[in-house]
Amino acid sequence: MKTPFRIGTATYLRPVERTDAATIQPWMNDLEVTRNLTRFLPISLQAQEAFLDGMGERGDVVLGIADKASDALVGVCGLHDLHWQTRQAAFGITVGDKAAQGKGHGTEATRLMVGFAFETLNLNRVWLKVYEGNDRAARVYEKAGFRKEGVLRDDAFRDGRYRDSIVYGILRAEWKP
C-alpha cells in the first residue's frame, strides 16, 4: 500500500499527490464521471496540478481512494467547507475509474472518511447533496448511515435542465463504525 491513511477491507484512503493529477484529470473531463458532480468545465493537466497544490491552503481534506489489491488510484473523496464552530463539513466523492465503479469502493471510502470526520476531527455533522436521479449514489450514502434531510428545488442546472438536489446528513450520534 502506498502511504495508507485509513484502511478498509478492499479500499484504503491515502494522501493525494501532485503526480496523481495525470490520473485524475481525465476523470474530470469525462462527462459520464462528472454528470453528477458540481464540476462542469474542462480542466487542463496544469490546472489539475494547481488544484491539488492548493488543497491545503483551502482547508479541504481530500484523499485518494485506492484499491488494496492493485494499489491503483480509483477515485478521490474529501471534506469541504469545514466549519469548526458548528463542527460540520460537506462530503464529496468521485470514483473516476469506471472499471472500479460498482465494486464497493465508494461505500467503503465514504465510511472511512465519515469515521475520520467523527473520530479524529471531532465533527458533529457531515452533509452532502445528491442530484435527483442519482440513485446509485443515494444508496451508497444510505448504506453509510446518511439520512435524507430535504430537497433543494431546481438547485442545479445539468444536462440542459434544472434538477433538484437532495440533502443528506449524518450526525455523530447516528454514526456506527
Side-chain angles (χ1 to χ4, degrees), residues 41-62:
L41 295 174
I43 189 167
S44 68
L45 180 58
Q46 293 77 20
Q48 186 67 57
E49 289 170 343
F51 175 81
L52 294 178
D53 290 343
M55 286 185 310
E57 297 167 13
R58 289 187 304 274
D60 295 338
V61 178
V62 179

Side-chain angles (χ1 to χ4, degrees), residues 156-175:
F157 187 77
R158 299 300 283 186
D159 300 325
R161 68 179 183 91
Y162 286 97
R163 296 166 70 182
D164 293 347
S165 291
I166 303 158
V167 178
Y168 281 84
I170 184 169
L171 303 176
R172 174 200 300 271
E174 300 163 345
W175 171 245

Side-chain angles (χ1 to χ4, degrees), residues 6-13 64-69 74 77 91 93 95 100 102-116 139-141 143-144 146 175:
R6 291 284 182 266
I7 302 170
T9 305
T11 306
Y12 69 94
L13 302 180
I65 304 168
D67 176 77
K68 275 176 70 174
V74 299
C77 63
F91 175 72
I93 186 170
V95 177
K103 298 192 173 168
H105 293 295
T107 301
E108 191 164 38
T110 299
R111 288 181 176 140
L112 291 168
M113 187 61 105
V114 171
F116 171 66
R139 280 191 303 276
V140 165
Y141 303 132
K143 280 196 282 186
F146 283 82
W175 171 245

Side-chain angles (χ1 to χ4, degrees), residues 1-157:
M1 287 186 282
K2 178 183 174 186
T3 61
F5 180 68
R6 291 284 182 266
I7 302 170
T9 305
T11 306
Y12 69 94
L13 302 180
R14 66 166 179 81
V16 178
E17 306 289 342
R18 187 176 215 268
T19 55
D20 292 323
T23 301
I24 298 168
Q25 183 248 354
W27 301 340
M28 296 300 114
N29 288 320
D30 185 328
L31 293 177
E32 286 182 50
V33 173
T34 62
R35 173 163 278 112
N36 290 301
L37 302 179
T38 56
R39 172 153 211 66
F40 57 89
L41 295 174
I43 189 167
S44 68
L45 180 58
Q46 293 77 20
Q48 186 67 57
E49 289 170 343
F51 175 81
L52 294 178
D53 290 343
M55 286 185 310
E57 297 167 13
R58 289 187 304 274
D60 295 338
V61 178
V62 179
L63 297 171
I65 304 168
D67 176 77
K68 275 176 70 174
S70 67
D71 275 339
L73 184 70
V74 299
V76 291
C77 63
L79 297 170
H80 311 279
D81 302 323
L82 278 101
H83 195 277
W84 296 109
Q85 183 182 17
T86 58
R87 316 279 333 145
Q88 64 179 307
F91 175 72
I93 186 170
T94 302
V95 177
D97 181 342
K98 292 179 192 175
Q101 292 175 353
K103 298 192 173 168
H105 293 295
T107 301
E108 191 164 38
T110 299
R111 288 181 176 140
L112 291 168
M113 187 61 105
V114 171
F116 171 66
F118 293 143
E119 297 164 1
T120 302
L121 297 182
N122 192 29
L123 298 183
N124 186 56
R125 179 174 181 263
V126 177
W127 64 275
L128 56 92
K129 294 193 302 188
V130 177
Y131 294 149
E132 67 175 313
N134 190 356
D135 299 331
R136 184 168 70 177
R139 280 191 303 276
V140 165
Y141 303 132
E142 289 168 2
K143 280 196 282 186
F146 283 82
R147 295 183 185 180
K148 183 177 175 181
E149 295 183 335
V151 176
L152 302 174
R153 298 176 304 143
D154 284 352
D155 181 55
F157 187 77

